[in-house]
Amino acid sequence: MGDMTKRNRWVLVIVLVCPALLCAGAGRAPAQLENKPACELHAPASDRPTIGLVLGGGGARGPAHIGVLKVLREMRVPVDYVAGTSMGAVIGALFSLGMTPEEIETQILGIDWDDLFSDPPDRLQRTYRRKQDDRTDFLPLEFGFTREAILTNRGLIAGQKLSFAFADPRLATSGYQSFDELAYPFRAVAADLHSGEVVVLHDGNLLQAVRASMSIPGLFPPVRRDGRQLIDGGVIDNLPVDVARAMGADIVIAVDVGNVPQEADEGDLGSIPGILSQSLIIQSRHNTLIQMQDADIVIQVPLDGLSFQDFSRVGETIAPGIGAARAVQSQLAPLALGRDEYAEHLAAHRPSPTVIPIVDRIDLLNTSPAADSAVRRLIRQRAGQPLDLAQLKIDLAAIYDFGVFELVDFQVSREHGRTVLKIIASGSSYAPYVFKAALNYSGGQRGKSEVSARLRCSWMEMNRFGGEWRNDLLAGRISRLQSEFRQPLGWSRVPFLSFGGSSEFSARDYFDQEKRLGEYNLTENAATFDLGSRLGNWGEARLGLEYGFLKTRNRSGLGLEEFRGWRGGYTSFLGIDILDDPHFPTKGFESRTSLFLGREDFGRDLHYSRLETSWRGVVSRGGHTFQLSLSGGSDLGTELPQFEEFTLGGLYRLSGYLDQQLRGRHYGLGTIGWYHEVLRGAGLFSPSYYLGAGLEAGNAWADRNSARWDDLRYCLNLSLMVRTALGPIVLAYGHGEAGNNTVYLKMGTGFLPF
C-alpha cells in the first residue's frame, strides 16, 4: 500500500482505509502456508547459503524493485527464492519467469496505465449503443437490488484488462502444478477477506495469483480462488519475509517500497481524511516493521512525494531503487559470486522457452444472466488450435461489453495431460437489474442556473438474444420518463426491433429579436417503433414510426402558436461514431442524421419534414487536438411548426448567445476548434486539465431564401475543461457580435467540445 495525495484522499480513504482497518482490528492471522516441503527444485549445488528475495507492496512505487534487481545482477548476488506482495508480486512473478531487470523495465514502462485501469474496451471495439451510453456521464457506480440489500460494484475498477497487461504469455501459461517449476521458485501473498488470514499462493494459475495479491480492497473486486475471496496481501503482510523463510531461504533480502508515517505533511493531518489516511499508513507500516526484524538485509527505497497511485511516474522509481541497493553494497558484497559461478547460477535458472500451448478443451464458467450460447459465440478460440491471446483479449472485451459482468477473465491449466482454457464470466452481483445515476449542473448564461438528475434502470440480457428493457427518468427544466424495449433478432445481435414510449414536460425559453420575452411549455406523450440494424461497431441505422399526443402552452405574452392534439409520422436515423473518447477525443469522426416526416394521416393537420445532420472530425498533432464540425437543419420546404423550429445559442453552438436565443426553420453551423492537455493528474482518480479555443459561424433563418453567406453570425469561445472521475467540467467564455457575451459553467453534463 503506498502513500496518498491530498487531492484524492476522500475517494481513496473510503475504499482503502475501512477494509484495511477491519483486517487490522482482527490482528494478523497466521499465514495459510500449504503443507509442502521447502523448495528444493533450484537449490544451489554449492554449500553457499540460499538467498530469498522479498519484494514489498507499494502500488506505483513498486517498480523501484527493478532498480534493486539491476544492482543485484550487477554485483552477481544470486537469488534462489522470490516472495512478493501486491506490486511486489507483479515484479516478482516477472523475475521468476526468468526475465532480466531490463526486460521487466521494458514491460512495466510500456503499459498504458490509464487504459489498464479503465474497464470498458477500447472505444472502437464497443457497439454504437454502448458508445452513446458513455456520453451520458453517469456516475461511475452501478447498483442494483435484491430482496435483502442494495448491491453495488465490489470495486471501483474490475481489472478487466489486467490479464493482458503484460506481453509475456508465460504469465498465463506457467505454474500449472507449482510455482517451484518457474525459473525462480515464487510465492505471491494475498489475504482472505472472510477470515483475515494470510494466504500464500504457490501453484495454479500464476496470473490469477498475481491478480489476487494486488486486489486492493474497494479499488479491485476480490479474486475467487479455491472457495476463498482474496484481496491485496498488503493489508496484513506487505513484506512477507516469513514466507521466504518458509521456502527455505537461509538469508533474506527484503525490499521495502511502502510509505512511512513521517512522510505525511503536518497540514495533511488537519482533516478527517488525512487522519484516516495516516492511520492506514501506520497500520500497514506496523506489519512491515515486524517482518523487517526477521530479514538479514533490508533495502528501504526513499520515494518521498510519490503516491501509490501515481502510475504516470513509475519510471521515476527505478533510479531510487538503484541508489537504495547501492547504499547497502557492503552488506550485499559477501553474498556475491565469482563470474563463472554466477554464470552457472544464471544458467541453472534460465527461463523456460515460450511455448504457445495447443488448447485441447474450452470450458465456460458463466454466472451472469447472459446465455452460455451467446457468450460462446464470441469466443473465436477453437479446441485443437494454438492459444491466441491477442484474439482472446478482443473476444473477452466484446463479452464484457454486454454490461452484466463484473469481470470476464480466463485461465489456462493442465488437467490429465491436456491444456484447458477456462473462460470465467463472472456476473455482477446485482445483474440483470442495473441502476445508474447522474447529476448535472449548468450555470452562467447571465444568471441562469439549472440542476438536473437522471436515473436509469435497465433489465439486461432478458433472453438468449440479448433483449434489453431500459427506463430513464430525467428531472429538471426538462422532465422526462422514457422507456425502450430493444430486441435483437438472432445470435448476431445485428438487426433489432425497438418499442418505446415517453412522457415529457419542458419549459422552453422564447426569444424575439434575440431578447427573451418569456417561455412556452411543451407536454408530449409518444410511442415509437423502430426496425434497426447495427453497422459493425461503428454505427446504427433505424427506420420507424412515432405517434403521440402533444400540447404546447404559450406563456410568453406573444402570439405564439399553440397546439393540442395527436401527431405522428415516419422516422429514420443514421449514426456513426468512431471517436476514441466520448469527451476529449484525439482522433476519429462521428455523424448523426435524423429525419422526421410528420403526416396528417397520424392526427391533426400537420404535414411537415424535419431533417437535421451533423458531422465532426478530430485529428491530433504533437499533443494538440483540432476539430472541425458542421451541422445543419431544414424543413425541406414544408411548414415547420413553431415548436419544432431549430435553435442555436449555448455552449459551442454560437457560444456568445444564450441557449435557444436564435431560432428558425433552417440553420447552419460550422466550428473550428483546438484544445490541449496542459496538466495530467498523476493519480488514478486525479483530474486532467485542458485549454481550448474555437471559432464558430452560423445562423438560424425563418426561410430558405434568407440563408446566405453574408448573414452568418460569428463567435469566439475560450474554455478551461477538466476531466474528472465523475464526469467533465467546463468553464467557458463565448464572445459574439453586438455585445453578445456569455459565460458558462457545466459540471457532469455531456458536451461536445466545439
Side-chain angles (χ1 to χ4, degrees):
M1 313 287 285
D3 66 351
M4 301 181 184
T5 55
K6 182 190 301 183
R7 60 189 170 191
N8 297 314
R9 291 186 182 279
W10 279 112
V11 175
L12 295 172
V13 163
I14 291 173
V15 301
L16 302 179
V17 171
C18 296
L21 291 182
L22 287 174
C23 291
R28 185 178 184 276
Q32 294 300 293
L33 298 171
E34 287 76 1
N35 185 21
K36 291 172 62 79
C39 305
E40 297 179 354
L41 188 61
H42 298 278
S46 66
D47 294 331
R48 69 169 177 83
T50 57
I51 298 174
L53 179 63
V54 175
L55 306 179
R61 300 158 65 100
H65 294 309
I66 299 171
V68 174
L69 292 173
K70 287 185 174 183
V71 173
L72 294 179
R73 177 158 291 204
E74 174 187 303
M75 294 184 64
R76 301 192 297 277
V77 174
V79 173
D80 300 298
Y81 311 113
V82 181
T85 296
S86 197
M87 185 58 77
V90 175
I91 305 298
L94 296 175
F95 179 75
S96 293
L97 287 172
M99 287 189 186
T100 66
E102 291 73 23
E103 290 171 337
I104 299 173
E105 180 179 11
T106 299
Q107 290 264 355
I108 294 295
L109 298 186
I111 293 174
D112 182 345
W113 294 97
D114 288 338
D115 180 65
L116 181 64
F117 293 125
S118 172
D119 290 318
D122 182 288
R123 199 165 186 270
L124 297 181
Q125 296 177 1
R126 308 195 74 186
T127 64
Y128 183 82
R129 184 173 180 83
R130 299 299 176 225
K131 289 176 184 175
Q132 301 316 296
D133 288 348
D134 65 22
R135 300 287 285 272
T136 313
D137 294 316
F138 288 106
L139 298 173
L141 181 67
E142 294 182 346
F143 60 97
F145 298 91
T146 66
R147 294 181 178 179
E148 293 79 20
I150 298 176
L151 302 175
T152 63
N153 315 66
R154 297 198 305 160
L156 293 180
I157 302 169
Q160 176 62 31
K161 300 174 183 176
L162 286 178
S163 294
F164 301 97
F166 304 98
D168 196 321
R170 291 175 298 173
L171 267 175
T173 59
S174 300
Y176 301 125
Q177 306 303 322
S178 172
F179 296 164
D180 293 346
E181 297 177 350
L182 304 177
Y184 296 89
F186 171 68
R187 299 291 186 267
V189 176
D192 188 308
L193 185 59
H194 288 287
S195 67
E197 297 170 334
V198 176
V199 179
V200 180
L201 304 171
H202 62 79
D203 64 3
N205 185 271
L206 179 61
L207 196 57
Q208 185 195 48
V210 170
R211 178 192 283 274
S213 183
M214 62 180 294
S215 289
I216 300 172
L219 187 62
F220 296 107
V223 172
R224 299 182 186 275
R225 178 178 165 120
D226 299 330
R228 298 175 179 267
Q229 293 197 58
L230 304 181
I231 60 174
D232 192 316
V235 300
I236 298 180
D237 195 357
N238 202 43
L239 194 67
V241 173
D242 55 346
V243 175
R245 291 284 187 206
M247 294 174 74
D250 298 315
I251 294 176
V252 173
I253 303 171
V255 186
D256 173 33
V257 297
N259 199 0
V260 296
Q262 290 81 359
E263 290 182 3
D265 295 330
E266 186 65 29
D268 294 341
L269 306 181
S271 64
I272 292 176
I275 293 172
L276 291 176
S277 173
Q278 186 74 348
S279 299
L280 173 62
I281 293 171
I282 292 171
Q283 181 268 323
S284 178
R285 197 67 192 163
H286 177 69
N287 73 62
T288 298
L289 291 174
I290 292 174
Q291 290 290 319
M292 279 184 185
Q293 295 174 8
D294 192 36
D296 298 286
I297 300 174
V298 175
I299 301 174
Q300 292 184 277
V301 184
L303 294 165
D304 295 356
L306 196 146
S307 165
F308 93 100
Q309 58 170 325
D310 291 345
F311 283 93
S312 63
R313 300 174 59 191
V314 293
E316 300 175 24
T317 68
I318 297 174
I322 293 174
R326 286 180 175 163
V328 296
Q329 280 189 123
S330 60
Q331 300 178 59
L332 294 172
L335 304 177
L337 302 179
R339 291 186 181 277
D340 293 341
E341 191 176 1
Y342 189 67
E344 292 177 4
H345 170 78
L346 293 181
H349 294 79
R350 63 181 179 272
S352 58
T354 301
V355 177
I356 304 301
I358 302 297
V359 176
D360 296 306
R361 193 178 80 230
I362 300 175
D363 293 343
L364 172 64
L365 177 59
N366 177 24
T367 60
S368 78
D372 286 358
S373 51
V375 174
R376 284 187 176 277
R377 189 180 183 280
L378 293 178
I379 301 171
R380 278 168 278 189
Q381 175 73 57
R382 294 292 179 264
Q385 296 181 351
L387 178 65
D388 187 345
L389 290 178
Q391 185 61 57
L392 190 62
K393 178 181 179 180
I394 296 173
D395 296 344
L396 298 194
I399 296 169
Y400 182 81
D401 208 35
F402 281 6
V404 293
F405 297 100
E406 177 181 78
L407 181 68
V408 184
D409 205 359
F410 75 99
Q411 290 181 21
V412 179
S413 62
R414 293 284 292 178
E415 298 180 9
H416 307 294
R418 306 182 71 200
T419 299
V420 179
L421 171 64
K422 180 180 291 185
I423 306 299
I424 306 171
S426 303
S428 297
S429 57
Y430 46 83
Y433 309 110
V434 180
F435 288 78
K436 298 180 180 181
L439 183 65
N440 303 321
Y441 172 79
S442 178
Q445 299 201 60
R446 306 172 199 172
K448 181 181 178 181
S449 181
E450 179 182 346
V451 177
S452 63
R454 180 192 295 268
L455 178 66
R456 170 174 291 176
C457 172
S458 300
W459 183 357
M460 313 286 288
E461 297 295 320
M462 296 177 63
N463 51 52
R464 59 181 181 168
F465 296 138
E468 179 181 344
W469 183 19
R470 171 181 294 181
N471 298 276
D472 282 279
L473 175 63
L474 176 66
R477 189 171 176 84
I478 299 177
S479 297
R480 181 188 305 120
L481 177 61
Q482 186 170 349
S483 182
E484 180 198 19
F485 173 67
R486 177 182 172 124
Q487 179 59 64
L489 303 176
W491 293 115
S492 68
R493 303 194 177 195
V494 172
F496 63 87
L497 293 176
S498 171
F499 304 87
S502 63
S503 180
E504 176 181 330
F505 172 83
S506 60
R508 304 190 179 189
D509 292 326
Y510 193 86
F511 291 83
D512 186 46
Q513 301 297 316
E514 302 178 20
K515 295 182 179 180
R516 185 182 184 279
L517 299 179
E519 66 179 28
Y520 66 95
N521 294 341
L522 184 148
T523 304
E524 181 175 18
N525 299 292
T528 60
F529 168 77
D530 291 324
L531 174 61
S533 176
R534 276 177 43 195
L535 305 175
N537 284 339
W538 49 269
E540 182 175 289
R542 294 186 180 219
L543 293 172
L545 302 172
E546 180 177 330
Y547 183 66
F549 188 85
L550 177 70
K551 179 175 68 175
T552 63
R553 180 184 176 193
N554 178 10
R555 299 185 60 188
S556 66
L558 302 176
L560 302 180
E561 297 176 3
E562 289 195 344
F563 179 86
R564 180 185 179 92
W566 297 93
R567 70 147 193 158
Y570 305 98
T571 63
S572 65
F573 171 82
L574 174 63
I576 298 172
D577 186 345
I578 56 172
L579 295 175
D580 63 342
D581 187 272
H583 303 302
F584 300 95
T586 59
K587 61 182 179 180
F589 74 90
E590 67 171 345
S591 69
R592 297 169 62 91
T593 300
S594 60
L595 174 65
F596 179 76
L597 303 176
R599 296 295 181 259
E600 60 266 5
D601 296 341
F602 287 83
R604 289 185 48 181
D605 189 19
L606 287 177
H607 187 97
Y608 66 94
S609 301
R610 190 180 193 276
L611 172 67
E612 186 170 17
T613 186
S614 64
W615 178 90
R616 177 169 65 135
V618 182
V619 296
S620 294
R621 295 290 184 273
H624 297 269
T625 300
F626 304 90
Q627 302 192 81
L628 172 65
S629 65
L630 302 169
S631 60
S634 172
D635 66 2
L636 302 180
T638 60
E639 198 70 22
L640 199 65
Q642 228 166 25
F643 59 81
E644 285 275 44
E645 288 182 340
F646 301 102
T647 62
L648 283 177
L651 186 59
Y652 308 132
R653 290 180 61 82
L654 294 181
S655 301
Y657 298 85
L658 300 176
D659 285 341
Q660 304 174 7
Q661 190 169 354
L662 306 174
R663 66 172 48 245
R665 294 172 178 169
H666 308 268
Y667 88 95
L669 176 67
T671 69
I672 298 175
W674 159 89
Y675 65 84
H676 176 64
E677 185 180 45
V678 294
L679 179 62
R680 170 173 289 194
L684 298 180
F685 304 103
S686 300
S688 296
Y689 298 85
Y690 300 79
L691 288 179
L695 295 174
E696 309 161 34
N699 206 348
W701 299 279
D703 57 75
R704 188 184 304 176
N705 295 330
S706 301
R708 304 187 309 274
W709 289 105
D710 60 359
D711 192 33
L712 295 177
R713 301 170 187 260
Y714 299 91
C715 289
L716 167 71
N717 65 66
L718 301 172
S719 303
L720 170 63
M721 299 170 286
V722 188
R723 183 201 295 269
T724 76
L726 301 180
I729 300 174
V730 58
L731 176 64
Y733 166 73
H735 173 72
E737 301 169 297
N740 287 288
N741 301 296
T742 307
V743 175
Y744 301 89
L745 175 62
K746 291 180 176 289
M747 294 185 291
T749 303
F751 65 92
L752 300 177
F754 322 116

